[in-house]
Amino acid sequence: MDEISATRVMDGLTDAARAAARRLAVSPPAQRDDALRAAAAAIRAASQAILAANRLDVAAATVSDAFLDRLTLTPARVEAMAKGLEDVAALPEPLGKILSEWTRPNGLLLRRVAVSIGVIGMIYESRPNVGADAAGLCIKSGNAVILRGGSDSLHSARAIHRAIVTGLEAAGLPAACVQVVPDSDRAHVSAMLGAAGRIDLIIPRGGKSLVERVQREARVPVLAHAEGLCHTYIHAGADPEMARRVLADAKMRRTGICGATETLLIDAAIAPSFLPVLVEDLKGLGCRFVADERARDIVASLDAATQADFATEWLDSKLSIAVVDGVEAALAHIAHYGSHHTEAIITEDETAATAFLNGTDSAVVMWNASTQFCDGGEFGFGAEIGIATGKLHARGPVGLEQLTTFRYEVRGTGQVRG
Amino acid sequence: MDEISATRVMDGLTDAARAAARRLAVSPPAQRDDALRAAAAAIRAASQAILAANRLDVAAATVSDAFLDRLTLTPARVEAMAKGLEDVAALPEPLGKILSEWTRPNGLLLRRVAVSIGVIGMIYESRPNVGADAAGLCIKSGNAVILRGGSDSLHSARAIHRAIVTGLEAAGLPAACVQVVPDSDRAHVSAMLGAAGRIDLIIPRGGKSLVERVQREARVPVLAHAEGLCHTYIHAGADPEMARRVLADAKMRRTGICGATETLLIDAAIAPSFLPVLVEDLKGLGCRFVADERARDIVASLDAATQADFATEWLDSKLSIAVVDGVEAALAHIAHYGSHHTEAIITEDETAATAFLNGTDSAVVMWNASTQFCDGGEFGFGAEIGIATGKLHARGPVGLEQLTTFRYEVRGTGQVRG
């Protein structure tokens, strides 16, 4: 499809979305929650149709097994989608909250009030459930959303969308609160990324190449997850048993998530006695290692790490190891190689912990906890649409609150500046 | 200068800025305040040199009188710059504030803590004082800043920068906390706009074409001011005397600022008796008018307004007038023609006021107050670096708080996800 036609299609979607968003923004909380529960019921009712549509996608897909697994829906996964919408309905209302309030000497009362953002564009790859999760969080937070799933999951996306629209209409909300881009033409993505003033925020969910394309091309603000090169720093003042337990979880609980630790930094003062213990622990869990020279002087069997290794997000059972001389050196390593995502220090020394917490430039810093806690559910957000690695508006897990913005309400009695 | 050389220059500036920002972010409040006061003293001490440098710029400038006025420094304007830095030093510390705090069932203590953003790029036109104001707010908020002033004010910018660096060094802070792009080559602007990952935020201050170029080209998040097409809606339930007073201030106090009202919306129920009064008031203050047909049926002398007029930010002694049938119609007009900046309703009817406040999609909504109150000083921010018309991170006046972001601090006792 040529650019002009794609832009025309996107203008139609965004016009409808903006009108729907205006109604959604002023709809009572109960109406949005009813829509979510009705959508959940509709997904259960349409379970067979959704699975059939998904089989068409799976049959047509020519992709890796891992990708195929993410693409494939099962009755359990369909039920999880429905349950997810009900869980979001049960979360506290995010709109209308008074975030701050103050009065000026001239008597003006100022309030910062939480409001919806408007129209959100969601661009995601294979997993069809992402569309349902995003729709749920957007409806609850008063935002209209335009979904652009992967071309491989278009049948699934449409079937899920039909059920969500059933829920919206049952609650008397506009169908255009949730729309799906009509076909898998890539020109639609460019049109979305260029829709400044029509789409308020783009959230990409997928591989590095997708996220990088979005960040490169977007004329619209983007909340994206770039990289999670997380560090766990074991300080000389660490409780050894705690350090062993936390590091094992941070690296090996799940190696494929962005909050997984990729690099171990350990103080030179304890490395000779303690590093061999940690390596044995992790080896027992199936972990491989690359290490700097100082670490290899202690554990000769470790492979040598290159500069590039310390800049690599393994997302695998592999750990980079560097020996450092205290907090400042650990912070310098993180500043040089880190991705501003999540870092942890393990220590009983509060002074060291405070210096570390204040010294990183990351969205999340932890003291005596596993980096794998960087998660909307674990933070208590109830649900998340993703994790943001940028610095503005939202950092870390993106939940309902992060899908709102604010406006200033100024109440006067006829004040003029004069 | 070719692109590669410009990128190399910008890499040098941003490397220095990032290192300086790390030190600034952990510097004690008193050190930043000392730097600001020392910079103020240095500006006063260098007053003659700054004025001489400014004379070079003025002599070389081939521009409009209005532009020349903004470019020209006087002893009073230099003193105002120094005083501005002292005022910022006296503002409350914006960093380290605990924005929220909660504990999870597993005992993890989570905190959202205000932190500096990092490296800010300021791109501005003629007025040399903008550089000093921006430097002050950035130092106070723990951010390094790279200043790119207009080519016409380069001598002035350098002289002011020398004084600010004197202040930074006197307080033991890195000179690179505030840097000026070395020359006026436009390639530097492109390099700044493309410095993703090196510059965290770009703030453009200047005319529409500058702001549009920045928003079009930037690969870095932007906080910008697009347009201030503000509406004042006089509801049927308005107190007539208040309405006259507020509208006169909102339109005519200063016509060139973004918070000035550009369009009057008035309810049909009161227009026949009240619109002639309002027109007389404003005519007496030198205002001209364009009006829709319903308004011209009431005041025949008014010129006819085109659709384009209602979409025009006059920034002048000129007012667009439309007669509407109640709050919904007023909101529809604003949704169609507005710029999401500032809108006001004048009424004694709380139901109407609430519907209006909730129904706009603007950064600032006012009830019984002049739209010209949309200003950092009037909001109590102490100082502002600009006004943001986007929806994310910051809306409305951008002061110290808007120059900060946050991080999550997670304090545990060895928790693992398991």
Side-chain angles (χ1 to χ4, degrees):
Chain A
M1 182 183 289
D2 63 71
E3 200 181 305
I4 294 148
S5 326
T7 304
R8 201 174 298 116
V9 170
M10 195 51 56
D11 286 352
L13 292 172
T14 51
D15 284 344
R18 297 212 76 78
R22 273 198 299 280
R23 280 189 51 195
L24 201 54
V26 295
S27 63
Q31 191 177 19
R32 277 171 276 133
D33 295 341
D34 289 347
L36 291 168
R37 284 186 287 262
I43 283 178
R44 291 195 178 97
S47 181
Q48 289 314 316
I50 292 169
L51 290 167
N54 183 247
R55 280 193 293 274
L56 294 178
D57 288 331
V58 171
T62 55
V63 290
S64 71
D65 292 359
F67 188 99
L68 208 58
D69 170 66
R70 293 201 297 277
L71 173 62
T72 305
L73 288 175
T74 64
R77 286 181 175 183
V78 173
E79 169 55 27
M81 270 191 270
K83 178 72 167 50
L85 293 173
E86 290 169 338
D87 292 345
V88 169
L91 292 173
E93 166 68 6
L95 303 180
K97 206 182 302 167
I98 295 173
L99 306 171
S100 57
E101 183 171 42
W102 66 102
T103 305
R104 298 289 300 153
N106 60 11
L108 285 180
L109 169 68
L110 282 85
R111 278 185 183 157
R112 269 180 70 154
V113 181
V115 300
S116 56
I117 291 171
V119 176
I120 291 172
M122 185 83 193
I123 302 175
Y124 58 102
E125 291 175 329
S126 61
R127 287 186 296 155
N129 61 298
V130 171
D133 299 349
L137 284 164
C138 288
I139 291 168
K140 178 80 175 188
S141 55
N143 297 295
V145 62
I146 297 170
L147 300 168
R148 202 286 185 181
S151 47
D152 304 284
S153 59
L154 195 59
H155 294 95
S156 314
R158 285 180 183 148
I160 294 163
H161 177 244
R162 268 190 295 276
I164 290 169
V165 166
T166 305
L168 285 164
E169 289 173 335
L173 286 171
C177 292
V178 179
Q179 299 179 90
V180 171
V181 173
D183 61 64
S184 60
D185 193 315
R186 284 173 67 85
H188 293 309
V189 175
S190 302
M192 278 178 90
L193 297 178
R198 299 178 146 270
I199 295 177
D200 297 303
L201 176 65
I202 296 261
I203 301 177
R205 274 291 293 279
K208 212 168 173 179
S209 66
L210 168 70
V211 173
E212 282 170 353
R213 178 191 172 192
V214 169
Q215 292 184 311
R216 196 173 53 249
E217 284 186 31
R219 290 278 150 280
V220 177
V222 173
L223 265 192
H225 179 283
E227 227 186 359
L229 207 161
C230 307
H231 298 74
T232 294
Y233 166 48
I234 299 183
H235 177 258
D239 168 334
E241 288 316 304
M242 183 196 292
R244 293 174 65 180
R245 191 169 73 246
V246 171
L247 178 64
D249 187 84
K251 174 69 249 183
M252 297 302 292
R253 174 185 159 271
R254 281 182 62 192
T255 57
I257 66 173
C258 59
T261 287
E262 305 291 9
T263 299
L264 164 67
L265 303 173
I266 182 166
D267 269 340
I270 55 169
S273 59
F274 196 39
L275 181 57
V277 179
L278 296 169
V279 167
E280 276 315 302
D281 286 350
L282 294 171
K283 217 184 252 167
L285 298 168
C287 188
R288 290 160 292 121
F289 310 90
V290 288
D292 70 355
E293 220 174 297
R294 297 174 75 182
R296 296 172 65 225
D297 289 344
I298 298 165
V299 184
S301 65
L302 300 172
D303 293 335
T306 62
Q307 293 255 326
D309 289 333
F310 285 112
T312 302
E313 181 183 18
W314 299 118
L315 295 172
D316 196 0
S317 304
K318 189 166 179 183
L319 179 70
S320 308
I321 302 174
V323 174
V324 294
D325 299 302
V327 174
E328 281 314 309
L331 290 173
H333 181 105
I334 291 168
H336 187 75
Y337 294 107
S339 66
H340 313 293
H341 193 291
T342 301
E343 331 296 343
I345 180 172
I346 313 300
T347 186
E348 300 301 298
D349 177 339
E350 176 156 15
T351 312
T354 305
F356 184 85
L357 295 179
N358 294 336
T360 62
D361 189 21
S362 298
V364 182
V365 284
M366 300 187 169
W367 177 15
N368 290 342
S370 167
T371 55
Q372 300 218 357
F373 278 111
C374 181
D375 170 88
E378 293 297 326
F379 272 40
F381 294 173
E384 72 176 27
I385 202 168
I387 303 238
T389 53
K391 284 188 165 181
L392 299 184
H393 183 74
R395 305 182 80 183
V398 178
L400 280 179
E401 185 188 333
Q402 291 71 28
L403 291 177
T404 66
T405 181
F406 64 86
R407 71 163 156 251
Y408 291 101
E409 291 183 2
V410 182
R411 290 151 195 265
T413 51
Q415 283 85 343
V416 296
R417 277 190 75 175
Chain B
M1 183 184 287
D2 64 68
E3 201 181 305
I4 293 147
S5 326
T7 303
R8 200 173 300 117
V9 170
M10 194 52 56
D11 286 352
L13 291 171
T14 50
D15 284 343
R18 296 213 77 77
R22 274 199 298 281
R23 282 191 48 196
L24 201 54
V26 294
S27 63
Q31 190 177 19
R32 277 172 275 131
D33 295 341
D34 290 346
L36 291 169
R37 283 185 288 260
I43 282 178
R44 291 196 179 97
S47 181
Q48 288 315 315
I50 292 170
L51 291 168
N54 183 245
R55 279 192 295 272
L56 292 179
D57 288 332
V58 171
T62 53
V63 290
S64 71
D65 292 357
F67 187 99
L68 208 58
D69 171 65
R70 292 200 298 276
L71 173 61
T72 305
L73 288 175
T74 62
R77 286 181 175 183
V78 172
E79 169 55 27
M81 270 191 268
K83 177 71 167 50
L85 293 173
E86 290 170 338
D87 293 346
V88 169
L91 291 173
E93 166 69 6
L95 303 179
K97 208 182 299 169
I98 296 174
L99 305 171
S100 57
E101 183 172 42
W102 65 102
T103 305
R104 298 288 302 152
N106 59 10
L108 286 179
L109 168 68
L110 283 86
R111 279 185 182 157
R112 269 180 70 153
V113 181
V115 299
S116 56
I117 291 171
V119 176
I120 292 172
M122 185 84 195
I123 302 174
Y124 58 102
E125 291 175 328
S126 61
R127 287 186 297 154
N129 62 297
V130 171
D133 300 349
L137 285 165
C138 287
I139 291 169
K140 177 81 175 188
S141 55
N143 297 293
V145 63
I146 297 171
L147 301 168
R148 202 287 185 181
S151 47
D152 304 285
S153 58
L154 195 59
H155 294 94
S156 313
R158 285 181 184 147
I160 293 163
H161 176 244
R162 269 191 293 279
I164 291 168
V165 165
T166 303
L168 286 164
E169 289 173 336
L173 286 170
C177 291
V178 179
Q179 298 178 93
V180 171
V181 173
D183 60 65
S184 59
D185 192 317
R186 284 172 68 87
H188 292 310
V189 175
S190 302
M192 278 178 89
L193 298 178
R198 300 179 145 267
I199 295 177
D200 298 302
L201 176 65
I202 297 260
I203 302 178
R205 276 289 295 276
K208 213 168 173 180
S209 66
L210 169 70
V211 172
E212 282 171 354
R213 179 192 171 190
V214 168
Q215 292 183 313
R216 192 171 59 248
E217 284 186 31
R219 292 277 150 279
V220 177
V222 173
L223 265 192
H225 179 283
E227 226 186 0
L229 207 163
C230 306
H231 298 75
T232 293
Y233 166 49
I234 299 182
H235 176 258
D239 169 335
E241 287 318 302
M242 184 195 292
R244 294 174 64 180
R245 190 170 71 248
V246 171
L247 178 65
D249 188 83
K251 176 66 248 184
M252 297 303 291
R253 175 186 158 271
R254 282 182 60 193
T255 57
I257 65 173
C258 60
T261 286
E262 304 292 9
T263 299
L264 164 67
L265 302 173
I266 181 167
D267 269 341
I270 55 168
S273 57
F274 196 39
L275 182 57
V277 179
L278 296 169
V279 168
E280 275 317 300
D281 286 349
L282 295 172
K283 218 183 254 168
L285 297 169
C287 187
R288 290 160 292 121
F289 310 89
V290 289
D292 71 356
E293 217 174 300
R294 297 174 74 183
R296 295 173 65 227
D297 290 342
I298 298 164
V299 185
S301 64
L302 299 174
D303 293 336
T306 63
Q307 293 256 326
D309 289 332
F310 286 112
T312 301
E313 181 185 16
W314 299 118
L315 296 172
D316 195 0
S317 303
K318 189 167 180 183
L319 179 70
S320 307
I321 302 173
V323 174
V324 295
D325 299 302
V327 174
E328 281 314 310
L331 290 173
H333 180 104
I334 290 167
H336 186 76
Y337 293 106
S339 66
H340 314 293
H341 192 292
T342 302
E343 328 298 342
I345 180 172
I346 312 300
T347 186
E348 298 301 298
D349 177 339
E350 177 156 14
T351 312
T354 305
F356 184 85
L357 295 178
N358 293 336
T360 64
D361 189 19
S362 298
V364 182
V365 283
M366 300 188 170
W367 177 15
N368 290 343
S370 167
T371 55
Q372 300 220 358
F373 279 111
C374 181
D375 169 88
E378 293 298 325
F379 272 39
F381 294 173
E384 72 177 29
I385 202 169
I387 302 234
T389 52
K391 282 187 166 183
L392 299 182
H393 184 72
R395 305 183 80 185
V398 178
L400 280 178
E401 185 187 334
Q402 291 71 29
L403 291 176
T404 66
T405 180
F406 64 85
R407 71 164 158 251
Y408 291 100
E409 291 184 3
V410 182
R411 292 152 193 265
T413 50
Q415 283 86 343
V416 297
R417 277 191 75 175

